Amino acid sequence: MRINSTEVLGQAIRARRKGLGYSQQQMADYCGCGTRFISDLENGKETIQFGKALGVASMLGLDLSIDVRGGTRPNARMLC
């Protein structure tokens, strides 16, 4: 799955959580954060704390990776 927005990341987190049968409260407890953070993350809120988001993904057994697009140098359109 290509993660290109906070919405796509949130959808992936929600799908994995539900697939494992965890509630948002259980995830918040496991990750040491609040249910509000889990909800904001799953709903694609753009101002989430990235470190916490990575922690939640890790607790769900998800890895994120970064790949260079097509091996080309970025131009102004690619940076935004």
Side-chain angles (χ1 to χ4, degrees), residues 15-66:
R16 178 68 173 164
R17 175 184 59 78
K18 287 187 172 188
L20 292 171
Y22 296 138
S23 68
Q24 286 185 342
Q25 182 64 58
Q26 288 171 312
M27 281 308 306
D29 291 344
Y30 296 151
C31 297
C33 61
T35 54
R36 175 69 183 255
F37 178 79
I38 299 295
S39 177
D40 287 348
L41 173 60
E42 290 184 353
N43 287 307
K45 185 175 179 182
E46 292 186 3
T47 58
I48 58 153
Q49 294 177 10
F50 193 64
K52 280 187 181 180
L54 291 176
V56 170
S58 178
M59 289 293 293
L60 290 169
L62 298 173
D63 292 322
L64 300 178
S65 63
I66 297 175

